[in-house]
Amino acid sequence: MAIQARNPNEDDEDGNDATLGPLDEAYDGGVDAAMLTAIDHVAIVVEDLGEAIAQHRDSFGVLVGDREDLHDEGAEAAFLDVGGSTIMLISPITDDSPYADFLAEGGPGLHHIGYRVDDIAAALASLSKSGRELIDEEPVPGPRDSQVALVHPDSAFGVLVQLVER
Amino acid sequence: MAIQARNPNEDDEDGNDATLGPLDEAYDGGVDAAMLTAIDHVAIVVEDLGEAIAQHRDSFGVLVGDREDLHDEGAEAAFLDVGGSTIMLISPITDDSPYADFLAEGGPGLHHIGYRVDDIAAALASLSKSGRELIDEEPVPGPRDSQVALVHPDSAFGVLVQLVER
């Protein structure tokens, strides 16, 4: 199976004991190829988008690639290029934005991780089949001409996961 | 300046209005090249490392590249390959591990984001100069033969940021 050929445990050059644990067991299920192909983005909710952009530029040397209004969520977003991936800064522009609630509850911080997938419909079907709780049963239009869907944190070790197909 | 040449606002092919905001202002400071060159990893604290590895494999099709004991932190870690980046799963193995405290306080979830830098000493000096609060003033040895240093969440929009030099 393709997934077994990708198992680096078989010739671990570092000499680390990577052979412990479930990977030693016969592999008899699950997806048959890597579903998650890249970290598409990390999303951070901030109070002031302009200030966050400026601070990321001046302190961390990362620049805006795109900006986009998230009309349905009462928010605006900026996409900062980091290597082949992206820091997505999100800030509410309406009082009833879910991101306004997020800030009110815990202040700025990490909101979700976006993983890129080749086929989001197939990924959702596979996750549903394996018992994962989905927030979005079907893909919805996302920023930057993407299709996206959220996986519930209870099914992803407390992490809000967004699948992203481009 | 090199950083200006990388500013995509100057020829935004997508037609998005990316020219609003502070990037329109004259750029007169900050770092002179991208400090953060990649998302090195996202770190997730989990209760049971073996179960988390198995579920990531079976549901998300991502496999362990390396495992490593984090002796100083009373924890063990597994590094799962996602494209050119990594999901770092961390689980405490001692009761006094800081990750045991993390789980007790809020359950499993995102712990930090690791950004790769070319020169961690220079990055720390630059961040310190720009007034960022550092948890690690000097680089410390990290997993997988890296040098790492933490930036305080108060200086990174609520996100615990780890700089990683390989």
Side-chain angles (χ1 to χ4, degrees), chain A residues 25-113:
Chain A
E25 297 164 17
Y27 184 74
D28 62 355
V31 298
D32 62 0
M35 176 192 295
L36 311 182
T37 61
I39 296 177
D40 184 83
H41 64 274
V42 296
I44 302 168
V45 181
V46 300
E47 300 269 5
D48 182 322
L49 193 62
E51 182 197 353
I53 290 170
Q55 290 195 28
H56 275 84
R57 178 195 64 197
D58 295 346
S59 286
F60 295 104
V62 290
L63 299 180
V64 171
D66 290 301
R67 289 178 73 156
E68 191 167 327
D69 282 341
L70 310 178
H71 297 286
D72 295 345
E73 302 180 298
E76 55 183 347
F79 301 90
L80 281 58
D81 301 322
V82 181
S85 194
T86 300
I87 298 172
M88 178 184 187
L89 300 174
I90 307 172
S91 186
I93 53 177
T94 65
D95 290 341
D96 61 352
S97 167
Y99 301 108
D101 296 338
F102 182 92
L103 288 170
E105 284 168 18
L110 279 170
H111 185 266
H112 68 264
I113 302 292

Side-chain angles (χ1 to χ4, degrees), chain A residues 20 37 55 59 64 67 83 132, chain B residues 8 20 55 59 67 83 132:
Chain A
L20 294 170
T37 61
Q55 290 195 28
S59 286
V64 171
R67 289 178 73 156
R132 302 283 144 181
Chain B
L20 294 171
Q55 291 195 28
S59 286
R67 290 178 71 154
R132 301 284 144 184

Side-chain angles (χ1 to χ4, degrees), chain B residues 2 5 7 9 22 28 39 44 55 60 66 71 90 100 138 145 147 161:
Chain B
N7 187 335
N9 288 342
D28 61 356
I39 296 177
I44 302 167
Q55 291 195 28
F60 295 104
D66 290 301
H71 297 287
I90 307 171
E138 302 287 337
D145 299 320
Q147 293 286 311
V161 164

